[in-house]
Amino acid sequence: MRAQVSLTPAESKRLIAKATARTEEVRRAAAEGTIVVHPSSSTYFIVEELTGQRPHTATWVCGIVVEKGACVEMGTMTSSNPRPREGAVRTVGDFPHSWVIEGGKLSVGEDLNSLMERLGSGDVYIKGVNALDAEGNVGVLIGNKFEGGTVGMVMGAARRNGFGVIFPVGLEKLIPLPVKEVAREARKQEYEYSMGLSCGLLPVPGTALTELTAVEILSGAQATPIASGGLGGAEGSVMLVINGEKEQVWQAIEHVEACKGASLPQVRVPDCYSCTATICDFPIGDKHWA
């Protein structure tokens, strides 16, 4: 049997979250260990799948791409993440916004240094990414001044301590060239202009979980992308053909239909003219779209 379905980016994120929560690695960590989730639009629904509740935190996403360019969500600029004093040095290890799930309960506030010290075999770290190539390789945009960002620290700790790393990512982030190749061009220190926050791209090893993987995990059917894009609120959508035994395909359809209408919280973008972010050198000038 074959069926055609379409998913908006938010709906894809919901479908991928359902599958992520059902992987053996995550189920084991949910039952016996610790799951750490980096806040993002790609991981937002995962918390609900694992705890039964959406995360009620001021920071649900960190770095973002909005109409005016690369930016940060205002939740990262609240009192829980104050602007450093003049001359002070803040490291990625101080990152306080990770969602930590243990025993089905969500907590927030533990710094990344502490988390990386205690995660080990049987635990899982989940993070959204910014680029996916045709071979399943992923890349993460690095906007802060610390080399490698939080993900660089996480990948180093994963190699040392043996915990798993999963990258849920929708096909909306598919790029036409290999991640390692384009990363060589993303040398932010050499940019003379950046529309918003200047970013480098860091290739990272790990398990990429897309809509295609999600369909297989949830139903056993196979999914093939046949088109992308849309209008009227469906911008960035992906269209899939699902193929398999009738029971499998109908099961996949049920999961997709359960995701229809999924939406994310509103993004709060700082005003460029009053923003206090010290890591952005965007030349605002009199640009009408800033």
Side-chain angles (χ1 to χ4, degrees):
M1 176 181 174
R2 280 184 167 82
Q4 173 189 304
V5 300
S6 60
L7 292 152
T8 66
E11 292 165 353
S12 284
K13 295 175 199 295
R14 168 63 94 178
L15 185 73
I16 291 168
K18 286 179 175 293
T20 301
R22 288 164 174 76
T23 62
E24 182 178 348
E25 191 174 18
V26 171
R27 289 168 63 185
R28 183 173 61 249
E32 305 172 0
T34 301
I35 299 171
V36 177
V37 183
H38 187 97
S40 72
S41 64
S42 296
T43 59
Y44 180 77
F45 294 119
I46 293 173
V47 174
E48 184 175 4
E49 292 294 326
L50 292 171
T51 68
Q53 294 184 327
R54 294 192 179 188
H56 300 292
T57 60
T59 304
W60 70 274
V61 65
C62 299
I64 52 177
V65 178
V66 291
E67 290 180 327
K68 60 185 175 182
C71 194
V72 294
E73 216 277 342
M74 289 183 67
T76 63
M77 304 173 72
T78 63
S79 58
S80 63
N81 185 23
R83 185 183 182 186
R85 299 185 308 276
E86 190 68 28
V89 175
R90 188 175 181 86
T91 71
V92 294
D94 296 320
F95 183 79
H97 300 302
S98 299
W99 296 329
V100 182
I101 301 172
E102 294 174 303
K105 302 295 184 182
L106 173 68
S107 63
V108 180
E110 186 172 355
D111 65 71
L112 198 61
N113 274 325
S114 174
L115 288 170
M116 293 302 100
E117 286 178 2
R118 68 184 185 88
L119 289 190
S121 177
D123 299 324
V124 174
Y125 183 89
I126 305 174
K127 178 176 171 56
V129 299
N130 305 102
L132 168 73
D133 68 22
E135 300 301 318
N137 302 304
V138 299
V140 176
L141 290 175
I142 306 297
N144 65 44
K145 62 184 179 180
F146 298 102
E147 191 67 30
T150 57
V151 71
M153 180 179 182
V154 168
M155 297 311 295
R159 288 191 295 271
R160 292 192 303 272
N161 302 337
F163 58 85
V165 181
I166 297 176
F167 299 115
V169 53
L171 295 174
E172 60 164 327
K173 297 184 179 178
L174 188 66
I175 61 173
L177 296 172
V179 165
K180 287 186 178 180
E181 179 181 325
V182 300
R184 291 194 288 269
E185 293 297 322
R187 298 192 291 263
K188 64 178 182 176
Q189 70 276 10
E190 297 181 16
Y191 301 164
E192 295 186 37
Y193 172 90
S194 174
M195 195 171 287
L197 179 67
S198 60
C199 301
L201 183 71
L202 180 70
V204 287
T207 303
L209 205 162
T210 70
E211 294 95 330
L212 310 185
T213 322
V215 167
E216 184 173 6
I217 289 172
L218 294 170
S219 69
Q222 302 296 310
T224 302
I226 63 169
S228 297
L231 296 172
E235 291 83 355
S237 292
V238 61
M239 185 176 288
L240 307 174
V241 167
I242 300 175
N243 181 29
E245 299 296 327
K246 182 171 290 190
E247 182 178 347
Q248 294 175 325
V249 175
W250 278 113
Q251 188 173 19
I253 291 170
E254 288 177 4
H255 282 294
V256 170
E257 288 187 344
C259 297
K260 298 303 288 183
S263 62
L264 293 162
Q266 182 179 0
V267 173
R268 301 164 297 172
V269 182
D271 175 69
C272 286
Y273 294 95
S274 58
C275 181
T276 59
T278 59
I279 58 175
C280 182
D281 297 316
F282 179 39
I284 305 169
D286 59 355
K287 296 176 177 57
H288 69 277
W289 43 267

